[in-house]
Amino acid sequence: MRILLVASAFNSLTQRVHAELRERHEIGVELALGDDLLRARVARFRPDLILAPMLTTAIPEDVWTGYPVFIVHPGPMGDRGPSSLDWAITEGASRWGVTVLQAVAEMDAGPIWASVEFDVPACGKSELYRNEVSDAAVSAVLTAVQRFESGAYVPQPLDYSRPDVTGRLRPFLTQQVRRIDWATADTATVLRTLRAADSQPGVLDELFGREYFIHGGHNEDRLRGEPGAVIATRDGAICRATVDGAVWLPQLRPRRRPGGPATFKQPATDALGADLPAGIAEVPVSPAEAAVRDTWSELRYREDAGVGYLEFAYPGGAMDTRQCRRLLTAYREACDRPVDVLVLGPERDFFSNGIHLNVIEAAEDPGAESWRNINAMNDLVEAILTTTDKLVIAALAGNAAAGGAMLALAADHVWCRESVVLNPHYRLMGLHGSEYWTYTLPQRVGAEVAEELTTRTLPVGARAAAGLGLVDKVIAGSTAQFRDRVRREAESLAAAPELQNMLLAKKQRRAADEAVRPLADYRAEELAHMHRNFFAAGESYPRLRHEFVTGVKPLATPAYLLG
């Protein structure tokens, strides 16, 4: 079939649906940038079906009356309204769902083609969206498309008298409803409120006389203070006391002033800048301590059955210079531990998306900060590539892109959850790329495929990546099932009698590769390109970075999505 994906953004869910469906159908993509543009694309593409995985605007009536249009709604059957997941988390729902319904005049009220439910874990909205919601959405989409293609299925009308129709019409969740009263709200309420607004729209609040949107929230198990007071900092986050505990706030976004420039998320201490009082203490936590506490940390380290697990988690998957350096320190400490197998990656969500464009955009000298950031990423990748006394496994529970994808390729083994989408390219940001990709990527997929992956700039699903040799293992199931399978297989490798021979062969391969061409040569050549991208006049990177960070929409669907 010919299926046209219509989306407000080519986001993680749209990319995953695109990767799944293009294995079976002819797929087109059109961003929802205007009714006339959509009408023109529909007329050219002549789809059998229009599918909207993520849409914040209505489809024109003449389009949904002329073509079957399926809407993916992030709620159970009967749920309606623009703040579905926000309400689910705010009200503490334990079960939720995704429903594929046909577009009609009344929003979210059309005939139902498929619906899949899931358990709701305690996490932020964006993390929920990229994991449980995405899994359920893909399952529902594949079912709905199969039913439509069969021509025999009759969709179910929305009927609130049915016991399995559990949703209801909900209003837009406003900032007035989201407001936190720090003098009375307990930690559980504060966390639900913050998580329901992560990563958009954030919770509007006041700190030190200025208004900010708070993005994300994590529990703190020990620190206490006057409710509402900022009582500590850690690695760019601030800790704020509640009536019965405290929460960590990793990111803030200054409220945009009328007529002022667009604002964007930054590490909380960066956003506060000089407004943050000097007397607030930095309270560090080691990766090993964080692993056994209920506190916020970007890094956790634990060991079990001869395997070391270095877990890292960054908002949006981006890694600034400081984060790269902290991760490198933790990696070196892990390498000093008496384990032969080391697993890298977060428990859930993004593996990495490379350098931190928001921090770079906010820097006094964005070019210089870009340079520091890429070199810090390279130092980390180099450390992994030159580790010859341990077997290193990159465990991707979530997506990876650009330098983050190349970070994974530095490991000996790359294992992916089946839901993972990879974007192993840089050119959409006007960059040549670094992180030793010119060494690792051709080694895995060959020069020709490496060229295609880095120039075609389309997402690659986990199964397709395995077929190319980009990843070594694809594991089905939930994030919990993925972690369990990784643990079992890593422990099996640690106990294997042939492990020492594997490590010896690894050391010999690295020495042989170094003799042919030193890693320093790859780095120097890549960085020569990147230096030009960062500093030369006329380069597109500064403009593309600014547009990405500030959310500037393109005037039309980009050519790379048109096929």
Side-chain angles (χ1 to χ4, degrees):
M1 284 198 305
R2 293 172 61 82
I3 301 176
L4 181 64
L5 301 184
V6 177
S8 294
F10 198 53
N11 70 342
S12 60
L13 177 57
T14 307
Q15 290 183 27
R16 186 169 171 203
V17 169
H18 182 275
E20 292 281 351
L21 289 179
R22 78 170 185 242
E23 295 180 5
R24 305 166 175 84
H25 303 282
E26 185 177 349
I27 304 299
V29 178
E30 179 68 15
L31 299 185
L33 300 172
D35 290 352
D36 288 342
L37 288 172
L38 176 58
R39 291 185 181 104
R41 184 67 194 282
V42 168
R44 291 194 305 272
F45 191 76
R46 302 186 60 83
D48 300 302
L49 174 66
I50 297 172
L51 177 68
M54 178 268 181
L55 200 60
T56 58
T57 57
I59 298 283
E61 181 178 359
D62 56 304
V63 173
W64 59 256
T65 55
Y67 295 84
V69 176
F70 286 6
I71 307 294
V72 180
H73 178 73
M77 289 193 292
D79 181 84
R80 298 171 59 200
S83 303
S84 179
L85 291 179
D86 309 58
W87 282 112
I89 296 172
T90 298
E91 296 179 347
S94 60
R95 290 279 290 175
W96 205 243
V98 174
T99 303
V100 178
L101 46 89
Q102 192 158 348
V104 295
E106 195 172 0
M107 194 71 71
D108 302 330
I112 297 166
W113 283 87
S115 189
V116 174
E117 292 192 346
F118 55 86
D119 292 328
V120 180
C123 67
K125 179 176 64 174
S126 56
E127 181 180 325
L128 179 69
Y129 182 83
R130 287 188 292 266
N131 287 279
E132 285 76 14
V133 172
S134 179
D135 290 349
V138 168
S139 177
V141 163
L142 293 179
T143 298
V145 169
Q146 185 179 42
R147 286 171 172 173
F148 176 79
E149 191 175 24
S150 75
Y153 184 80
V154 178
Q156 306 166 18
L158 178 60
D159 181 359
Y160 283 103
S161 67
R162 288 176 40 180
D164 59 341
V165 178
T166 57
R168 65 181 189 273
L169 177 63
R170 297 168 186 265
F172 175 72
L173 191 53
T174 65
Q175 287 295 337
Q176 287 74 23
V177 177
R178 297 183 196 270
R179 189 181 69 86
I180 297 172
D181 183 351
W182 292 91
T184 61
D186 61 16
T187 301
T189 300
V190 171
L191 285 175
R192 282 198 305 272
T193 303
L194 293 171
R195 287 168 174 170
D198 179 39
S199 64
Q200 290 296 339
V203 174
L204 185 61
D205 208 333
E206 184 176 307
L207 284 160
F208 309 113
R210 299 189 184 214
E211 287 189 310
Y212 298 87
F213 290 93
I214 303 172
H215 296 271
H218 303 263
N219 188 57
E220 162 57 30
D221 56 1
R222 295 180 184 174
L223 299 175
R224 298 293 182 266
E226 183 70 22
V230 175
I231 55 176
T233 63
R234 177 183 298 154
D235 296 339
I238 59 173
C239 186
R240 197 168 185 186
T242 66
V243 296
D244 62 347
V247 295
W248 286 96
L249 311 176
Q251 292 185 307
L252 300 175
R253 174 170 56 92
R255 187 176 191 179
R256 184 177 186 175
R257 296 185 177 128
T263 62
F264 46 87
K265 288 177 279 188
Q266 299 176 60
T269 57
D270 288 2
L272 290 169
D275 289 336
L276 183 67
I280 297 174
E282 175 81 3
V283 181
V285 64
S286 71
E289 183 186 0
V292 295
R293 285 183 53 191
D294 185 13
T295 187
W296 177 82
S297 178
E298 294 170 331
L299 302 171
R300 284 176 161 77
Y301 180 77
R302 57 188 174 85
E303 293 176 4
D304 191 22
V307 181
Y309 298 87
L310 179 54
E311 299 170 355
F312 47 89
Y314 304 109
M319 301 164 62
D320 70 27
T321 304
R322 298 158 296 187
Q323 291 166 324
C324 291
R325 290 172 178 166
R326 289 194 291 265
L327 180 53
L328 176 58
T329 297
Y331 178 80
R332 286 172 171 160
E333 291 172 351
C335 285
D336 288 337
R337 297 293 302 162
V339 294
D340 291 326
V341 177
L342 188 56
V343 177
L344 307 178
E347 283 196 341
R348 323 168 24 101
D349 214 4
F350 286 121
F351 182 82
S352 173
N353 284 327
I355 61 176
H356 202 310
L357 300 176
N358 287 36
V359 170
I360 291 168
E361 182 70 17
E364 184 176 344
D365 185 339
E369 180 55 34
S370 299
W371 187 250
R372 286 189 290 268
N373 202 164
I374 197 64
N375 275 282
M377 281 290 296
N378 280 350
D379 291 343
L380 175 60
V381 172
E382 181 184 17
I384 298 170
L385 287 172
T386 55
T387 299
T388 56
D389 61 341
K390 298 185 190 304
L391 198 67
V392 182
I393 299 165
L396 278 66
N399 300 346
M406 305 313 168
L407 172 65
L409 297 191
D412 303 302
H413 297 279
V414 182
W415 298 350
C416 286
R417 192 160 83 90
E418 190 178 36
S419 63
V420 162
V421 174
L422 300 172
N423 279 280
H425 52 79
Y426 302 81
R427 295 196 181 188
L428 296 181
M429 200 48 58
L431 296 173
H432 172 271
S434 193
E435 292 97 2
Y436 297 89
W437 77 264
T438 55
Y439 169 65
T440 57
L441 188 59
Q443 269 201 343
R444 280 190 161 268
V445 301
E448 185 176 340
V449 174
E451 174 72 12
E452 181 180 357
L453 288 173
T454 53
T455 56
R456 194 174 178 215
T457 63
L458 284 175
V460 182
R463 289 189 301 273
L468 295 172
L470 192 60
V471 306
D472 303 297
K473 191 186 298 289
V474 175
I475 298 173
S478 66
T479 53
Q481 290 169 324
F482 175 76
R483 291 197 306 273
D484 183 63
R485 176 83 175 275
V486 167
R487 177 189 58 79
R488 287 187 282 110
E489 300 214 7
E491 290 178 4
S492 177
L493 280 172
E498 64 270 22
L499 177 60
Q500 294 308 313
N501 288 335
M502 294 168 64
L503 292 175
L504 177 60
K506 172 183 178 177
K507 182 178 292 188
Q508 291 170 340
R509 283 195 306 271
R510 176 82 285 279
D513 286 352
E514 188 71 9
V516 172
R517 187 183 182 191
L519 284 176
D521 283 1
Y522 291 95
R523 179 170 180 156
E525 183 177 333
E526 292 171 358
L527 287 179
H529 289 284
M530 294 293 275
H531 192 276
R532 184 170 60 253
N533 296 152
F534 293 157
F535 296 108
E539 289 288 314
S540 61
Y541 164 68
R543 173 183 58 82
L544 294 171
R545 182 193 66 236
H546 177 77
E547 291 175 353
F548 175 83
V549 167
T550 57
V552 174
K553 290 188 176 182
L555 298 177
T557 301
Y560 77 96
L561 292 177
L562 298 177

